[in-house]
Structures are given as structure tokens and as C-alpha cells.
Amino acid sequence: MKKPVAPMPAAQPSRTGPSRTGPSRTGQPAGPVLVTGGAGFVGTNVVDRLAGQGVPVILYDSLVRPGVSENLEWLKRRHGSRIDARIADVRDTARLEQAVREAQTIYHFAAQVAVTTSLVDPTEDFAVNCAATVALLEAMRRTPKPPTLVFTSTNKVYGSLPDVPVQNAGRRCEPVDADLGGKGVGETCRMDFHSPYGCSKGAADQYVLDYARCFDLPTVVLRMSCIYGPHQRGNEDQGWVAHFVMRALAGEPITIYGDGRQVRDVLFVDDLVDLMLVAGAPGSPLVGKAVNVGGGPRNAVSLLEVVDALQDLAESPVRVRFGAARPGDQRWYVSDVSRVAAVTGWQPRVGVREGLARLCAWLRETRADPARPPLAKAIAVGGAAE
């Protein structure tokens, strides 16, 4: 007998299909668009949308992450010659600069993305996340007409939010301050870099903003919360929503670090791509700004509540085991998306339950596709929390 599923945040009407263009009124660049890390999770979704609208894309990726080679092949099959794939490391400054000179817009997603990995090798983390970003900014500065740059930062720049007292409320926690719980964390929150990953991404965040101030480069910073959706193959270090879904569908236990009441605002990737197109379009209203981007209070959900939802969506009962809480983990983080909404008119459209169902459907389709690797091979041993 299945246990009752906790109520999920209400969904707004969704928009589906390849013709989605988002709320942009500024139009898309004639091209080409450079997407670093373009075969990764977010990169694949952005490239797919752009190429589907006829925009030529320079896809720049080292292909070192598991699954990204399959993403690239999928993009090539769908879009053919619109994809100019350049297999290179973002630290290869000569090749990066050549790509920058050709681009009219840049989406900079290439990064080391795991806190745990940054603790193992902080130097590598800094080189990829911060030094390579500064090199990209310098390449932009040397071009006669610098392209617009959209940089993906992280909510980790705000640290573990130790000054936000929380209390348990059923299967989630919530701030003692009800107003904060209803609004979320805004961009005026004090920055408090935690972990080498938080430091490298936070420093790059500030460099991107400062190059807009000091050198008048058209740059945008998006401080992202938990993004999930198709083409994400999460593991225990990064991409926890997809990792939970993958393990549930494979009949494997999910490991939760801590008590599972940790709350995040999750954002379905289609909604993120809508905003990305606005942020990178000519005349972007976000140039020179840093904004928090996530599902907001309407899409705030605890780890336990995601597991509850998966009890209905998975093919077999979902098993859970618990591990010790991870140092620096935010007990509660929800993005205040009011600033980005006010500037662009963007709002998340896909609710949590719908988004999880769509991710499950994609993963089942992927598992059944003989051209894809078996789902079990994409699952890291262990669990996830961040």
C-alpha cells in the first residue's frame, strides 16, 4: 500500500513543444551563438532550442562528463549543420578566443559543478570555474563588438544561510520568518562563499559583473537554484532531482544526506531556457545585472516530498536510506524571483509534479532507446542531497 503523497506546489499552465520561444520581445541573434559546455544538461536544452529556431550554434565542450557525448550526437542528428561542434577545454585560451571572435552571443555553462569535487582538487576547480571565465571575459574585451555574455552562477554564493533560523513543518522545514518563506532569498542577501566551488563560482560571478562596470561589456549573471529536466543525468554530487528519479526508476535505493526536510525551489529546464533566450537576446534588459533564478516559492519542495511524489511515478516502491548531513548544506533555500520577473516578465510555468512526470517520461524513453546507454550505467553509486 502506497503511503499518502504530500501536497505539491500548484502548477501554472505549461507550454510545451519545440516552438516555445519564451517571453522575449527583443528577438534572437542572427548568429552564431557560442555555448560553452554546450553538450551538458542546460547546454543541450539551450542549443536544441536555438538550433530549432534556425540559429547557428558553436557548441564548445570537452566532453569529459559522462553522457555528454550522447547529448552531442543527439543534437547533431536533430540539427545537422546548424551545430558547429568544437571539442576543446575551456582553458584552451587560443581556441576559446577564436570562438568568441565569431560569436554574437555567449552562453557560458562550462564549469566544474560539484562541491565534493572542489574539495578534492580546489586548484582544478578554480582553473575551470574562475580563471577560464576571466580568460573568456578578456577575449570578449579584445573583440571590436563584444557579444552579450550570459553566465550561470549559483545560489551557493549565499553560503549555508546560517542567519536564517528554520523550523520543521511536517516533511519539510521552513523559515521562522514567514515573510522570508513567502518571498524567498533576494539578491541583496549577504554573499558568503562556502567550499572551493562556492568561492570559484562566486569570484567568477563578481568578475562577470565587474567587467560590465569597468569595461562596459554586456554581461548577465544568473544565480541558479535547482534545475532539472530532460538530458540531465544527475549523480550524488550534482543534479539531485534527476538522480532521485533515475534511482527510483531503476529500483535502486535513494540516499538522502540529512533528514530530508531540506527545501529547494526547483525549476524545470524549459522554463530556464525561456529566460536564457531573453537574457542573451540583443538589447537584453538584464545586461549588467545579477538575478536569482529558480522555481520560487510556488515550486519549493523538500527532498522527502520529491520522494513522496516518486512513489506514484516510479514503477516500483521507492526505497530511501539516510546518511549524515553534509557540511555547509543549506537547510532551506528558495529564490526570490521577483526582480527577474519585474525586469523581463518571465515566470516559471511548469509545476513540480508536472516537471517530475515529464522527466520520468524522458528517462523511460531513454532507457528504451537502443541508441542510448542503459539507464543503470548512468547512475552513480550512492545518493544525493545537493
Side-chain angles (χ1 to χ4, degrees), residues 146-188:
T148 300
L149 169 69
V150 179
F151 172 73
T152 48
S153 183
T154 171
N155 64 31
K156 294 295 185 292
V157 301
Y158 301 121
S160 60
L161 302 178
D163 298 330
V164 177
V166 298
Q167 57 193 358
N168 288 339
R171 291 177 70 76
R172 64 163 62 194
C173 70
E174 60 185 22
V176 173
D177 182 344
D179 288 340
L180 177 62
K183 294 177 182 177
V185 175
E187 293 82 1
T188 59

Side-chain angles (χ1 to χ4, degrees), residues 183-205:
K183 294 177 182 177
V185 175
E187 293 82 1
T188 59
C189 180
R190 179 176 64 89
M191 301 184 90
D192 182 20
F193 304 162
H194 189 101
S195 80
Y197 170 76
C199 291
S200 65
K201 290 294 284 188
D205 172 314

Side-chain angles (χ1 to χ4, degrees), residues 42 97 264 306:
V42 173
E97 182 158 357
R264 301 290 182 269
V306 170

Side-chain angles (χ1 to χ4, degrees), residues 342-365:
V343 173
T344 67
W346 172 86
Q347 289 281 355
R349 302 295 186 101
V350 179
V352 178
R353 188 175 295 277
E354 179 188 350
L356 289 174
R358 287 167 63 177
L359 177 55
C360 283
W362 179 81
L363 285 167
R364 286 190 176 106
E365 179 184 352

